[in-house]
């Protein structure tokens, strides 16, 4: 049985996740989904990298408030690299042991990758920090229209404090509640986590931001 966070209910984890009993169709799907994750996330990472390189080359793009977009892009890049790393590792293990079903490797190796909660914490951190910076961009525009006499750059310290502190709290919480989620091909919170905790850690933030 894979390691779970301290608030996770192991009895809520589907049987097929713990005993690796998958059908032939599920075996094929696991490899296809991992490949799709690698392909799509690689494209995302490349686009983020291009944005950061262009911003680094053009000084005006590094100035306030455009620099908030750079921070958001950096968070997106890190999240994409984590997804590529996890699913790329699963595909590598599958290639090294073709006799074993890809879904069995998916669960077993995925649990090893997520052990300790670091990757789950990074995922949770980035998933909140990215929309957090987008929220700051929208909020900054609103404040600039309604309070044009306040120096805009003075808000940047508050934005950094808000985004990084809230994202760190959520990231640490997700890391403590970590589990490999085969249905998502990600290290994230455990399957047995209560809906209340899911709303506190992720959905509630997204709803308030958007």
């Amino acid at each position: 049985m894979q390691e779970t966070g301290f608030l996770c209910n192991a009895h809520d984890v589907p049987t097929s996740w713990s005993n690796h009993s998958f059908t032939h169709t599920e075996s094929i799907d696991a490899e296809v989904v991992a490949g799709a994750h690698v392909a799509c996330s690689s494209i995302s990472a490349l686009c983020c990298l291009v944005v950061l390189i262009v911003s680094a080359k053009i000084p005006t793009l590094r100035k306030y408030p455009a620099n908030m977009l750079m921070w958001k892009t950096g968070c997106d890049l890190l999240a994409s690299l984590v997804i590529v790393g996890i699913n790329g590792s699963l595909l590598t293990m599958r290639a090294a042991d073709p006799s074993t079903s890809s879904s069995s490797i998916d669960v077993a190796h995925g649990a090893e990758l997520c052990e300790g909660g670091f990757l789950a914490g990074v995922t949770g951190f980035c998933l909140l920090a990215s929309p957090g910076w987008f929220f700051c961009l929208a909020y900054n525009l609103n404040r600039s229209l309604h309070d044009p006499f306040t120096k805009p750059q003075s808000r940047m310290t508050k934005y950094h404090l808000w985004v990084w502190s809230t994202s760190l709290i959520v990231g640490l919480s997700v890391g403590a509640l970590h589990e490999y989620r085969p249905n998502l091909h990600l290290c994230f919170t455990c399957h047995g986590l209560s809906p209340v905790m899911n709303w506190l850690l992720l959905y509630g933030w997204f709803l308030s931001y958007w």
Side-chain angles (χ1 to χ4, degrees):
M1 181 178 295
Q2 60 174 308
E3 179 188 358
T4 59
F6 65 91
L7 289 181
C8 301
N9 186 351
H11 298 290
D12 290 338
V13 179
T15 304
S16 60
W17 291 15
S18 57
N19 64 13
H20 303 175
S21 58
F22 292 87
T23 65
H24 178 66
T25 303
E26 288 173 323
S27 175
I28 296 175
D29 288 346
E31 190 171 2
V32 171
V33 171
H37 274 64
V38 170
C40 295
S41 296
S42 295
I43 294 173
S44 177
L46 179 61
C47 292
C48 291
L49 192 59
V50 170
V51 170
L52 292 176
I53 292 175
V54 171
S55 298
K57 296 290 185 180
I58 303 176
T60 54
L61 296 179
R62 299 196 302 270
K63 294 182 179 179
Y64 180 90
N67 57 345
M68 284 190 281
L69 181 60
M70 291 183 61
W71 287 111
K72 179 187 183 303
T73 304
C75 295
D76 292 336
L77 174 61
L78 182 57
S80 298
L81 292 177
V82 169
I83 295 174
V84 170
I86 292 173
N87 288 274
S89 180
L90 294 174
L91 290 175
T92 301
M93 290 294 294
R94 168 61 175 166
D97 188 10
S99 61
T100 305
S101 70
S102 58
S103 292
S104 297
I105 293 175
D106 179 31
V107 174
H109 188 56
E112 294 178 3
L113 290 173
C114 298
E115 188 176 0
F118 175 75
L119 291 179
V122 172
T123 301
F125 178 88
C126 294
L127 284 179
L128 186 64
S130 177
W133 280 114
F134 194 83
F135 169 78
C136 288
L137 278 166
Y139 177 81
N140 183 72
L141 176 60
N142 178 272
R143 294 309 305 154
S144 296
L145 293 174
H146 290 85
D147 189 13
F149 301 106
T150 300
K151 188 178 181 180
Q153 291 87 338
S154 62
R155 307 186 191 112
M156 195 62 186
T157 300
K158 297 178 182 178
Y159 295 155
H160 275 291
L161 181 62
W162 170 257
V163 173
W164 299 133
S165 61
T166 55
S167 300
L168 182 61
I169 292 172
V170 170
L172 290 174
S173 300
V174 171
L177 300 167
H178 68 276
E179 181 181 85
Y180 178 64
R181 301 288 293 273
N183 58 328
L184 302 176
H185 280 238
L186 287 175
C187 301
F188 204 60
T189 56
C190 53
H191 173 79
L193 194 63
S194 70
V196 175
M197 288 297 295
N198 279 320
W199 274 95
L200 288 175
L201 290 178
L202 195 63
Y203 306 137
W205 292 98
F206 282 172
L207 184 63
S208 62
Y209 279 162
W210 294 107

